[in-house]
Amino acid sequence: MTKQKKWNNLASDTAERMAQASQFIGSGKQVKAEDTVALLEAVIRPRDLVNIEGNNQKQADFLAESLLKVDKSKIYDLHMVQSAVPLASHLDLFEAGIAKKLDFAFGGPQSGRVAEFIKEGKLELGAIHTYLELFGRYFLDLTPKVSLICAYKADREGNLYTGFNTEDTPAIVEATKFRNGIVIAQVNEIVDKLPRVDIPADWIDAVIESPQPFFIEPLFTRDPALIKESHILQAMLALKGIYAEYGVRSMNHGIGFLTSAIELMLPTYGEELGLKGKCCTHMILNPHPTMIPAIEEGWVDTIHCFGGELGMEKYVAERSDVFFVGPDGSLRSNRAFAQTAGHYAIDMFIGGTLQMDPYGNSSTATANRVAGFGGAPNMGCDAKGRRHPSDTWLKCGQEQPNLEEVIGKMPRGKRLVVQGCETFGEGLAPSFVEELDAWKLAQNAGLDLPPVMIYGDDVTHVVTEEGIAYLSRCKDLETRTAAMRAVAGFTEFGLKADPDQTRRLRDAKIVMTPEDLGINRDRANRDMLAAKNMQELVTWSGGLYEPPARFRNW
Amino acid sequence: MTKQKKWNNLASDTAERMAQASQFIGSGKQVKAEDTVALLEAVIRPRDLVNIEGNNQKQADFLAESLLKVDKSKIYDLHMVQSAVPLASHLDLFEAGIAKKLDFAFGGPQSGRVAEFIKEGKLELGAIHTYLELFGRYFLDLTPKVSLICAYKADREGNLYTGFNTEDTPAIVEATKFRNGIVIAQVNEIVDKLPRVDIPADWIDAVIESPQPFFIEPLFTRDPALIKESHILQAMLALKGIYAEYGVRSMNHGIGFLTSAIELMLPTYGEELGLKGKCCTHMILNPHPTMIPAIEEGWVDTIHCFGGELGMEKYVAERSDVFFVGPDGSLRSNRAFAQTAGHYAIDMFIGGTLQMDPYGNSSTATANRVAGFGGAPNMGCDAKGRRHPSDTWLKCGQEQPNLEEVIGKMPRGKRLVVQGCETFGEGLAPSFVEELDAWKLAQNAGLDLPPVMIYGDDVTHVVTEEGIAYLSRCKDLETRTAAMRAVAGFTEFGLKADPDQTRRLRDAKIVMTPEDLGINRDRANRDMLAAKNMQELVTWSGGLYEPPARFRNW
């Protein structure tokens, strides 16, 4: 009991590094852009856990590029713990040997290189996570020692303004700074007075005005002109067979043309079904431009956002009754809280998938791309810790014929998890398969488990252009498979459907075709869309929405 | 498309209220304590959603008392949305008609009054949540319009220091302030310079130096002197049959004497089993005093805390390699992030229960007390969105004989959820029952569902003084029930065990008695405890732990 242990090694190690870095750090924690590489060499050590901030909507790209320029004999084998690796520089770090191990959530355009580098031994994969799960590990066993973050502005004291795209910053900074780590921020601009303080200067160690504004991509913008009639038919099915059937008020819409079609059909088909005020009143969602018509028509009470979306800045600021905004009037996004609400508070997740197996497991993995999960598994699952009821959640729970086998005579609700796909997807690849490509990927990349985006016991509904399979109403795995075959059309998987069984499933309302739901397929055309192109979205917004150049053709 | 809608009603409503309040708000957003009631009357309107901060470790008690003094003809029917209602004043608000509806997570000492008020129609229950779930709803459909929070200190500009007990504050303030709501803080002290800024002044509307420091209770302190031999036997079972068996590195310990016993036996029995460095290295946990010996012996790498614990301030500050601390050296707790890690990152939750039914559903509800859930359901469940593997999680997943029925030929891991109880609990009430009292409570309080703390499909292990039931190894509900009967001892429930079946379950390692595990019951005595009383904990801490007066008898 009288040991002479040292209990502040983390703090003294950090103090030592910061002493080395102090020559580069001026008043207000400012560092000159040209000293960035030297700063990183001063504060980073081999095998450190390092986070480079970056998610769908903003990237600490200058800091990533700078890290690539450090002396590789001094800094190597870093363990990167970060949401996403979408930039070439993120993988170049592994190519160069500066980084060695990766724990992440989303690969984006670098997914192929992640798989390749694993095979070649250039990259050791920790695990693939969902965002909120990775944030959780920041506070347990994957705490960054050094975090390279980004913000719009800093003031002369080092306070940060993360503004429209706050996203992951609070989670990263808190985990790092309160575990005696080091936080370095790139900002677009240093100003005298911030619109609002988002991160106190006390939580930041160095601020760099980067030569270029940070990289940002409009990932959640879908041009209505590209929506096809098959999307519109699926959207009609979803609206009548699911939204109306369960009275779904709160939800998240995954990315894709099906959900964009649904958004654009709220003021048309949704209105016709009498859903206004009864559906889609509360959403966890990035500021999707395709939501503008529904918002203008008064459908939505509240939207809380993971991140921002390029071009939506002014629109959001002028619709502060709907969006979360700061005292300065600009959006407050926060991925940790949006995902928390997405996991626990919403009644439905609807998104697309690439492949489903006979058990309902779905995946966006292909054999040679470690794509990651992003946020989908966190929202596309039945949150087991949820305890508050809603009519939607209770109805879906009551439908389950096999609940008693699981928890005995005890009622429980269930989140709606809807997977939409065309029977044949991109390149006419079938969406229903006997075995997921995720198995091949697991083998190729040496994963412990095939990377399943959403597990079969979590999926409640599958929507294709053939109809809806109500998986929550299936009493066993065999019925589940049969219901999926019934909506799998002319895929090899679908051709195995037994017509008699399909008939029985339709009678039992476990499978519903457009006809069963009273939907006229002829009406599934682009007249259903409240806005048919980007320009009409701008018009709906009263000129407030400013689409990025690549979406403008007028 | 050319409507003249107003889209900033929230902002203008708040501006109007703040204009009325401005007469009471001085420089640095300071309000005199004597103006508090008038301030609340200026900013609160009937039927507002209002949050009074308070959780296990700190309470905005002055603001709660002040709200009770408002003019009831001006302010009534408030909808309270808050973590906990442990103070008399929280329920007095309903008695007085100032509040009408309640959405919460934990009742504590007021649980009986909550049930009574529901019956009498004085309180309309929204729902009972787990903490993180309620935080999620703050960002969706239960956003507070006015939040009454508490902090240790404010500076002259209105920045806040939440210090050792940050807890729920960031979640509450962010949801309220960024939805154009109003945040009022009571602080113990206004100072020139804060040790660190935790909440920027931009996020706060008014600051009041309260006449008394906020109320705080040492809820997680267990006196080792009160640990019984039956707890020690259970702790030996858990350590050998679960911690060692599964190599559990990361976990949360629920509150109670079983987990306190385990903590105090890490340096003794745990050491003997060779678990040091292999178990309990990463924890999500309040700073439990009973962890001191294990920490001093070098068992623990990291602890992240929901909140603080009275008396542990200096100890934590001096053990910054283990705890998350701020640049000022004091603990950074944060319930939202700790619960996030507790849900997604840890491999095991172990806690106690009052009652279990034949299906494994457990509850702490009694017929006339709406106790709430706190954080248990969030950690005591199999987080369905989890995707990262660990050996512990994979092993538990592989054990499940019925997984294929659920998701087909697809492997998946499973969180360990351990429920510990003596066969007869307090007042010799049996812990195993044919039907949970939760059913009676649901009827009495008009709940949609019986309030189940942990559902049967989430519980993987039940530990009693009779042995361990490995529910994760049970192929169906019947086997699960039989395994529980086998460890239910002389309760009516246990007496129904079929000795032959129990024999078969022991052979199959689905039930393990102390003898099956090679545990000598005679060793289950207080010599196993590294510290036998509070004074020995202080000694272990080198005098850094300063127990509250009520725990000092020397």
Side-chain angles (χ1 to χ4, degrees):
Chain A
M1 298 193 200
T2 54
K3 291 180 202 71
Q4 285 304 313
K5 261 197 198 162
K6 229 179 135 266
W7 292 98
N8 59 348
N9 295 297
L10 293 177
S12 57
D13 172 51
T14 289
E16 198 182 287
R17 299 181 189 204
M18 288 305 293
Q20 250 181 276
S22 63
Q23 55 184 312
F24 308 114
I25 304 179
S27 83
K29 315 196 177 185
Q30 286 184 33
V31 174
K32 294 193 193 102
E34 58 264 34
D35 289 338
T36 306
V37 174
L39 173 75
L40 296 179
E41 288 178 346
V43 301
I44 301 179
R45 302 280 181 273
R47 287 173 294 276
D48 269 354
L49 271 71
V50 174
N51 177 302
I52 303 177
E53 181 173 6
N55 210 307
N56 300 318
Q57 284 88 35
K58 69 171 175 178
Q59 298 294 338
D61 52 350
F62 175 69
L63 292 174
E65 292 288 342
S66 300
L67 184 55
L68 203 48
K69 292 179 189 151
V70 297
D71 182 340
K72 294 161 198 55
S73 70
K74 286 189 200 155
I75 301 182
Y76 49 85
D77 288 354
L78 299 181
H79 179 174
M80 308 308 293
V81 289
Q82 59 192 64
S83 285
V85 290
L87 303 183
S89 56
H90 294 147
L91 270 293
D92 293 347
L93 288 167
F94 290 88
E95 185 94 78
I98 295 168
K100 180 74 189 170
K101 190 170 177 181
L102 176 64
D103 275 280
F104 79 127
F106 186 67
Q110 303 300 318
S111 305
R113 280 177 90 195
V114 175
E116 190 188 316
F117 283 15
I118 292 172
K119 259 196 176 172
E120 293 169 358
K122 286 181 192 156
L123 185 155
E124 184 190 332
L125 185 64
I128 318 172
H129 306 74
T130 185
Y131 295 130
L132 193 61
E133 176 187 14
L134 185 59
F135 297 167
R137 294 192 72 188
Y138 289 170
F139 293 90
L140 187 80
D141 59 346
L142 290 181
T143 308
K145 176 72 184 186
V146 179
S147 284
L148 311 179
I149 65 159
C150 56
Y152 283 93
K153 302 177 186 191
D155 66 15
R156 312 263 169 224
E157 286 163 9
N159 296 295
L160 299 187
Y161 174 62
T162 53
F164 191 70
N165 292 78
T166 292
E167 305 194 26
D168 305 13
T169 317
I172 298 168
V173 175
E174 175 149 355
T176 309
K177 189 60 187 174
F178 290 103
R179 186 96 175 112
N180 272 305
I182 296 165
V183 179
I184 298 170
Q186 74 170 67
V187 300
N188 294 348
E189 203 182 352
I190 295 177
V191 298
D192 289 328
K193 171 80 184 147
L194 295 176
R196 69 180 193 241
V197 175
D198 286 316
I199 307 278
D202 285 358
W203 302 21
I204 302 295
D205 296 288
V207 174
I208 299 156
E209 198 174 62
S210 61
Q212 303 287 337
F214 55 71
F215 178 73
I216 188 163
E217 230 192 330
L219 274 185
F220 291 86
T221 300
R222 288 289 172 278
D223 185 342
L226 302 178
I227 293 175
K228 298 182 298 181
E229 293 188 349
S230 63
H231 298 132
I232 294 167
L233 178 59
Q234 278 180 268
M236 291 174 78
L237 283 162
L239 282 166
K240 192 158 185 186
I242 301 172
Y243 287 58
E245 170 79 6
Y246 296 86
V248 190
R249 302 181 70 93
S250 62
M251 66 195 59
N252 167 259
H253 278 174
I255 194 170
F257 284 106
L258 167 58
T259 42
S260 296
I262 291 172
E263 291 164 5
L264 291 170
M265 287 162 59
L266 293 175
T268 58
Y269 193 59
E271 176 77 35
E272 178 186 324
L273 294 173
L275 303 185
K276 189 169 158 184
K278 297 181 195 152
C279 285
C280 305
T281 53
H282 293 81
M283 303 182 85
I284 299 297
L285 200 69
N286 279 326
H288 289 187
T290 40
M291 277 301 295
I292 292 171
I295 293 171
E296 293 302 302
E297 289 292 310
W299 278 67
V300 186
D301 288 348
T302 302
I303 297 179
H304 187 264
C305 303
F306 312 97
E309 184 67 7
L310 265 185
M312 288 288 281
E313 294 83 350
K314 281 191 195 164
Y315 181 75
V316 166
E318 295 296 324
R319 296 293 176 271
S320 66
D321 280 352
V322 173
F323 292 93
F324 280 68
V325 298
D328 64 319
S330 82
L331 181 73
R332 173 69 174 193
S333 58
N334 184 318
R335 195 171 313 275
F337 284 126
Q339 289 286 351
T340 297
H343 187 64
Y344 269 131
I346 60 175
D347 283 337
M348 182 175 82
F349 166 78
I350 174 167
T353 186
L354 270 185
Q355 283 191 336
M356 293 191 80
D357 75 10
Y359 322 113
N361 302 306
S362 61
S363 174
T364 55
T366 57
N368 292 302
R369 296 174 57 82
V370 179
F373 299 121
N378 172 65
M379 295 183 288
C381 73
D382 190 34
K384 297 295 287 294
R386 173 171 171 170
R387 293 294 179 268
H388 76 279
S390 72
D391 292 344
T392 303
W393 183 81
L394 288 172
K395 179 177 162 69
C396 187
Q398 280 153 4
E399 287 182 353
Q400 301 173 85
N402 58 342
L403 186 62
E404 193 168 329
E405 290 166 31
V406 180
I407 52 171
K409 289 182 185 64
M410 180 60 70
R412 185 169 67 191
K414 192 169 168 78
R415 151 93 49 82
L416 271 73
V417 176
V418 183
Q419 292 276 272
C421 58
E422 296 178 85
T423 54
F424 289 94
E426 249 178 87
L428 290 186
S431 299
F432 296 88
V433 296
E434 296 296 331
E435 188 176 272
L436 297 176
D437 282 346
W439 285 93
K440 285 185 211 113
L441 175 61
Q443 200 174 21
N444 291 346
L447 309 179
D448 284 309
L449 299 174
V452 170
M453 180 78 80
I454 294 179
Y455 285 98
D457 54 343
D458 282 326
V459 182
T460 58
H461 301 80
V462 179
V463 184
T464 74
E465 71 278 14
E466 300 289 331
I468 303 176
Y470 292 79
L471 302 192
S472 53
R473 298 175 184 172
C474 296
K475 70 177 194 301
D476 53 28
L477 207 52
E478 193 200 323
T479 313
R480 204 193 291 169
T481 306
M484 284 191 291
R485 291 202 198 279
V487 298
F490 292 97
T491 60
E492 207 175 314
F493 182 90
L495 291 172
K496 288 188 194 157
D498 168 4
D500 287 343
Q501 194 172 16
T502 298
R503 184 73 256 167
R504 285 193 300 274
L505 291 172
R506 289 175 61 186
D507 290 344
K509 296 188 192 303
I510 291 174
V511 169
M512 302 275 270
T513 65
E515 291 67 33
D516 295 337
L517 284 163
I519 291 170
N520 180 351
R521 288 174 195 258
D522 294 340
R523 296 187 61 208
N525 63 61
R526 292 180 40 82
D527 288 341
M528 275 288 182
L529 302 177
K532 294 178 186 60
N533 53 50
M534 296 299 284
Q535 202 165 9
E536 289 185 15
L537 286 178
V538 174
T539 305
W540 269 103
S541 77
L544 294 168
Y545 172 44
E546 300 173 321
R550 71 159 116 149
F551 289 102
R552 289 172 176 273
N553 57 1
W554 63 92
Chain B
M1 298 190 199
T2 54
K3 292 180 201 73
Q4 286 304 315
K5 261 195 199 163
K6 229 178 135 266
W7 291 98
N8 61 347
N9 295 296
L10 293 177
S12 56
D13 172 52
T14 290
E16 196 182 288
R17 299 181 189 204
M18 288 305 293
Q20 249 181 276
S22 63
Q23 58 185 310
F24 308 113
I25 304 178
S27 82
K29 313 193 176 186
Q30 285 185 35
V31 173
K32 293 190 194 106
E34 59 265 33
D35 289 338
T36 306
V37 175
L39 173 75
L40 296 180
E41 288 178 346
V43 301
I44 301 179
R45 302 280 180 275
R47 287 173 294 276
D48 271 353
L49 272 71
V50 174
N51 176 302
I52 304 177
E53 181 173 6
N55 210 308
N56 299 318
Q57 284 89 33
K58 67 171 175 179
Q59 299 293 339
D61 52 350
F62 174 68
L63 292 174
E65 292 289 342
S66 300
L67 184 56
L68 202 48
K69 292 177 190 152
V70 297
D71 182 340
K72 294 162 198 52
S73 69
K74 286 190 199 157
I75 300 182
Y76 48 87
D77 289 353
L78 299 180
H79 178 173
M80 310 307 292
V81 289
Q82 59 192 63
S83 285
V85 289
L87 303 183
S89 56
H90 293 147
L91 270 292
D92 294 347
L93 287 168
F94 290 89
E95 186 94 79
I98 296 169
K100 180 72 188 171
K101 189 169 177 182
L102 176 64
D103 276 280
F104 78 126
F106 186 67
Q110 303 298 319
S111 305
R113 279 177 90 197
V114 175
E116 190 188 317
F117 283 16
I118 291 172
K119 259 195 178 172
E120 294 169 358
K122 285 181 194 157
L123 184 155
E124 183 190 331
L125 184 65
I128 319 172
H129 306 74
T130 184
Y131 295 130
L132 193 61
E133 177 186 14
L134 184 59
F135 297 167
R137 293 192 72 188
Y138 289 169
F139 293 89
L140 187 81
D141 59 345
L142 291 182
T143 308
K145 175 72 185 186
V146 179
S147 285
L148 312 178
I149 64 159
C150 56
Y152 283 93
K153 301 177 186 191
D155 66 15
R156 311 265 169 222
E157 286 163 7
N159 296 295
L160 299 187
Y161 175 62
T162 52
F164 192 70
N165 292 79
T166 292
E167 304 195 27
D168 304 13
T169 318
I172 298 167
V173 175
E174 176 149 355
T176 308
K177 188 62 186 171
F178 290 103
R179 187 97 175 112
N180 273 304
I182 297 166
V183 179
I184 298 171
Q186 75 170 67
V187 301
N188 294 350
E189 201 183 354
I190 294 176
V191 298
D192 289 328
K193 172 83 185 145
L194 294 177
R196 68 179 193 241
V197 174
D198 286 315
I199 306 278
D202 285 356
W203 302 20
I204 302 295
D205 295 289
V207 173
I208 299 156
E209 198 174 64
S210 61
Q212 303 286 338
F214 56 72
F215 178 73
I216 188 162
E217 229 192 334
L219 273 186
F220 292 85
T221 299
R222 288 290 172 278
D223 186 341
L226 302 178
I227 292 173
K228 298 183 299 182
E229 293 188 350
S230 63
H231 299 132
I232 294 168
L233 177 60
Q234 278 180 269
M236 291 173 79
L237 283 162
L239 282 166
K240 192 158 185 186
I242 301 172
Y243 288 59
E245 170 77 6
Y246 295 86
V248 191
R249 302 182 70 91
S250 61
M251 65 194 61
N252 167 259
H253 279 174
I255 193 171
F257 284 107
L258 167 58
T259 42
S260 295
I262 291 172
E263 291 164 5
L264 291 169
M265 286 161 60
L266 292 174
T268 58
Y269 193 60
E271 177 79 34
E272 179 185 323
L273 294 173
L275 303 185
K276 189 168 158 184
K278 296 180 196 154
C279 286
C280 304
T281 54
H282 294 80
M283 303 181 86
I284 300 295
L285 201 70
N286 278 326
H288 289 187
T290 40
M291 277 301 295
I292 292 171
I295 293 171
E296 293 300 302
E297 289 292 311
W299 277 67
V300 186
D301 287 348
T302 302
I303 297 178
H304 187 265
C305 303
F306 312 96
E309 183 67 6
L310 266 184
M312 288 288 280
E313 294 83 349
K314 280 190 195 165
Y315 181 75
V316 166
E318 295 295 323
R319 295 294 176 269
S320 67
D321 281 352
V322 172
F323 292 94
F324 280 68
V325 298
D328 64 319
S330 81
L331 180 72
R332 172 71 174 192
S333 57
N334 185 318
R335 193 170 315 273
F337 284 127
Q339 290 286 352
T340 297
H343 186 64
Y344 269 132
I346 60 176
D347 283 336
M348 182 175 83
F349 167 78
I350 174 168
T353 187
L354 270 186
Q355 282 191 336
M356 293 190 80
D357 76 9
Y359 322 112
N361 302 307
S362 61
S363 175
T364 55
T366 57
N368 293 303
R369 297 173 56 83
V370 179
F373 299 122
N378 172 66
M379 294 183 288
C381 73
D382 189 33
K384 297 294 288 294
R386 173 171 171 169
R387 293 295 178 270
H388 77 277
S390 72
D391 292 345
T392 303
W393 182 81
L394 288 172
K395 179 178 162 70
C396 186
Q398 280 153 4
E399 285 182 354
Q400 300 173 86
N402 58 341
L403 185 62
E404 193 169 328
E405 290 165 33
V406 180
I407 51 170
K409 289 181 186 65
M410 181 59 71
R412 185 168 68 191
K414 194 171 168 75
R415 151 95 47 84
L416 272 73
V417 175
V418 183
Q419 292 276 270
C421 58
E422 296 179 86
T423 54
F424 289 93
E426 248 177 87
L428 289 187
S431 299
F432 297 88
V433 296
E434 296 297 332
E435 188 177 274
L436 297 176
D437 283 346
W439 284 94
K440 285 187 210 111
L441 175 62
Q443 201 172 22
N444 291 347
L447 309 179
D448 284 308
L449 299 174
V452 170
M453 180 78 82
I454 294 179
Y455 284 99
D457 54 342
D458 282 326
V459 182
T460 58
H461 301 79
V462 178
V463 184
T464 74
E465 71 277 15
E466 300 289 331
I468 302 176
Y470 292 79
L471 302 192
S472 53
R473 297 175 185 174
C474 296
K475 71 175 192 302
D476 54 26
L477 207 55
E478 194 201 323
T479 314
R480 205 194 291 170
T481 306
M484 285 191 290
R485 291 203 198 278
V487 298
F490 291 97
T491 59
E492 208 174 310
F493 181 90
L495 291 173
K496 288 188 191 159
D498 168 4
D500 287 342
Q501 194 172 19
T502 298
R503 184 73 255 167
R504 283 193 301 273
L505 292 172
R506 289 175 63 186
D507 289 345
K509 297 189 190 304
I510 291 173
V511 169
M512 303 276 270
T513 64
E515 292 68 31
D516 296 336
L517 284 163
I519 291 170
N520 179 352
R521 288 172 194 260
D522 294 342
R523 295 188 61 209
N525 62 61
R526 292 180 40 82
D527 288 341
M528 274 289 180
L529 303 177
K532 293 178 188 57
N533 52 50
M534 296 299 283
Q535 202 163 11
E536 287 184 17
L537 287 178
V538 175
T539 306
W540 269 103
S541 77
L544 293 168
Y545 173 43
E546 300 172 320
R550 72 158 117 151
F551 288 102
R552 288 171 177 275
N553 56 0
W554 64 94

